[in-house]
Amino acid sequence: MFKAVSLHAQNKQINKIQRISQAHNTANYSITPSIEWTQLFNKQTGWTGGDGIYSISLPSDFKNNFIRKKSNNILFLFSDSIIDTLIDGKQTDNGFTMIHNAVAILNSKNPKRDNIQFYWPQKNNKTPASVFIPSDIKDRQGNPVEDSIYYWLGDGIAIKNKNKPLNKDTALAIFAYKMTNVSNEAFGFKEIGNDLLLTDANFSILKQIPLPKVSEGSLGAGIYQENVRHNKGKEENDNYVYIYGVRGIHKGLIVARSTIADITNPKNWKYFNGQTWVSDINQSQEVTSHVSNELSVTKIKEGKYALIYQLDGIQPYIGLKLAPTPYGPFGSMDTLWHCTEPTDKNKIIVYNAKAHPSLSSKGKLLISYNVNSLDFLNQLHSEPTFYRPRFLMITWK
């Protein structure tokens, strides 16, 4: 998912932000490209490109045919995705299909092609369709169909047996942005709703829950589920899930909190007002700004929390801010990485960096960012697999 802001508005502050970020680099880590993870998504058939890419660790009771028993099964959520067949790395006359969301399941923490399976359904005419479709538009048989309204996906969470709501088949809670196209321009889309989707393990939507309205923004940019270690070394859940939202042209970050039992009941969520947790979303206070519409918060060593994001959404800098809690206060930005795909000679953009702790080994943290183009069709023709995530690996010192 990629939501633009005015480049003029960004550039008014970018020079100052860059100077601050460079001055506060702590050098408590090293970061390098992760070639293996990047190559995992460099495909010639089926899913050949997309953006989004959230990763969700799946429980052992997740009943899907793609699950491999006694393995670390990870679900990937993608937004706009290309389904195609390339020959010698080039497009054919058959063309490609763009769907608005797709999923994949990886049966290991190792980035090997044999371990990953992509999924999207088919329409009646056998062409690819999005996995998740809003119920607003239906065909004559009452089935949801994509037309002028579609979903881009935010973060999600797997729901274990003991936390399931009334519908025992619920397996996932996924944040979704209800979108519509308003023009043929590069940023010719508009968000018209923010839903929480409850789905079964085969990705059928069981319930579509409208979320509280965020002024000039939405919820679902990231999720962090807290864990605490008790005296006996047994890890247990502290019963809270933190839900991050982004609002305004300055991309301010707000935080909601829910018990695990209430994750499917937004009416019971609380919002951080800068001092405490309140029931009114309109009292939310931003804990930082200049983040991206997709991001992550991860607990790292020494009990600190790492906020990882793309500066101002589409700047070529990946930022890191540390805090003592999942809701701040966040310190100054370290520049983790300068993405070199955009140059003065192309119209490439990079956006929505985030971490993937479920794919990371001890002492490391895997990070992805998306690559797109303001001249999409021409770029896709010249480089059919350019539209896919790139990966980096942090090693903490």
Side-chain angles (χ1 to χ4, degrees):
M1 181 196 67
F2 141 110
K3 298 179 185 177
V5 300
S6 164
L7 291 177
H8 173 72
Q10 293 172 17
N11 290 333
K12 289 174 67 177
Q13 298 191 38
I14 186 63
N15 291 332
K16 178 181 177 182
I17 293 169
Q18 284 177 242
R19 289 196 298 273
I20 292 173
S21 68
Q22 292 165 359
H24 288 277
N25 195 308
T26 64
N28 288 329
Y29 50 81
S30 61
I31 183 167
T32 57
S34 181
I35 296 174
E36 287 184 327
W37 281 102
T38 297
Q39 284 301 112
L40 178 66
F41 297 94
N42 188 356
K43 297 176 73 273
Q44 302 295 302
T45 60
W47 185 99
T48 60
D51 66 0
I53 194 161
Y54 286 96
S55 55
I56 302 171
S57 180
L58 297 176
S60 57
D61 66 341
F62 196 84
K63 297 179 180 179
N64 182 286
N65 290 334
F66 292 159
I67 291 296
R68 188 179 297 168
K69 292 183 178 180
K70 297 182 180 180
S71 296
N72 292 308
N73 294 289
I74 308 295
L75 173 67
F76 290 112
L77 301 177
F78 300 96
S79 289
D80 279 348
S81 294
I82 294 174
I83 312 302
D84 200 358
T85 299
L86 307 177
I87 298 179
D88 297 328
K90 297 181 180 179
Q91 291 179 315
T92 68
D93 293 337
N94 293 330
F96 66 89
T97 300
M98 174 78 84
I99 57 179
H100 292 300
N101 54 73
V103 300
I105 290 180
L106 180 70
N107 302 126
S108 167
K109 290 186 177 182
N110 296 320
K112 295 181 179 180
R113 291 277 174 85
D114 292 343
N115 292 335
I116 191 168
Q117 299 183 73
F118 290 79
Y119 170 74
W120 59 89
Q122 290 186 333
K123 299 177 182 178
N124 291 335
N125 62 4
K126 305 300 182 182
T127 59
S130 298
V131 178
F132 306 106
I133 299 176
S135 61
D136 302 66
I137 300 177
K138 298 183 179 181
D139 62 19
R140 292 181 179 178
Q141 287 73 42
N143 301 310
V145 293
E146 280 188 300
D147 190 356
S148 57
I149 299 175
Y150 53 90
Y151 276 139
W152 283 343
L153 303 181
D155 206 348
I157 188 171
I159 299 176
K160 297 182 180 180
N161 275 332
K162 63 180 181 180
N163 298 313
K164 287 185 177 180
L166 294 178
N167 190 325
K168 61 182 178 61
D169 294 326
T170 301
L172 295 165
I174 299 172
F175 287 86
Y177 308 98
K178 194 178 294 181
M179 309 298 298
T180 189
N181 293 333
V182 294
S183 77
N184 293 323
E185 301 298 322
F187 301 126
F189 47 77
K190 179 182 179 182
E191 182 179 326
I192 59 173
N194 188 192
D195 292 341
L196 183 67
L197 307 181
L198 305 185
T199 84
D200 64 18
N202 292 307
F203 315 117
S204 295
I205 297 176
L206 304 174
K207 194 171 184 180
Q208 182 177 305
I209 304 173
L211 293 176
K213 291 184 179 180
V214 178
S215 178
E216 298 183 14
S218 48
L219 296 167
I223 294 176
Y224 174 71
Q225 184 171 335
E226 180 69 284
N227 290 299
V228 294
R229 191 171 294 279
H230 295 275
N231 292 333
K232 294 182 179 180
K234 183 180 179 181
E235 193 170 53
E236 296 180 0
N237 199 283
D238 82 343
N239 209 35
Y240 283 123
V241 177
Y242 295 88
I243 301 156
Y244 299 90
V246 177
R247 69 184 183 193
I249 197 169
H250 61 292
K251 296 197 177 292
L253 183 67
I254 61 173
V255 189
R257 189 172 77 174
S258 169
T259 63
I260 298 172
D262 273 336
I263 189 67
T264 60
N265 188 6
K267 291 182 180 179
N268 291 339
W269 295 357
K270 305 294 184 182
Y271 304 89
F272 190 58
N273 71 355
Q275 295 181 329
T276 188
W277 298 92
V278 297
S279 299
D280 185 2
I281 193 172
N282 296 312
Q283 295 183 30
S284 298
Q285 293 294 314
E286 295 167 7
V287 295
T288 190
S289 60
H290 298 283
V291 296
S292 46
N293 290 94
E294 297 177 9
L295 46 78
S296 63
V297 172
T298 307
K299 192 172 187 178
I300 60 172
K301 64 176 186 176
E302 299 173 354
K304 293 186 178 180
Y305 297 82
L307 168 65
I308 293 175
Y309 58 97
Q310 198 91 32
L311 181 62
D312 281 324
I314 59 173
Q315 295 292 343
Y317 301 98
I318 296 177
L320 162 70
K321 289 186 177 183
L322 298 179
T325 75
Y327 47 92
F330 289 98
S332 300
M333 185 182 104
D334 282 5
T335 302
L336 281 179
W337 192 257
H338 177 200
C339 307
T340 57
E341 288 83 0
T343 70
D344 293 337
K345 297 181 180 180
N346 64 32
K347 294 184 178 181
I348 295 290
I349 56 174
V350 290
Y351 55 107
N352 288 343
K354 66 181 76 68
H356 301 270
S358 60
L359 298 170
S360 305
S361 57
K362 185 177 181 180
K364 297 181 181 293
L365 190 60
L366 185 68
I367 295 172
S368 68
Y369 62 95
N370 295 319
V371 178
N372 208 324
S373 175
L374 300 178
D375 189 18
F376 184 80
L377 292 178
N378 287 328
Q379 182 67 38
L380 191 68
H381 179 74
S382 63
E383 189 183 355
T385 61
F386 92 98
Y387 179 53
R388 56 188 167 84
R390 309 300 196 268
F391 289 85
L392 309 166
M393 186 70 78
I394 290 181
T395 300
W396 304 107
K397 294 182 180 178

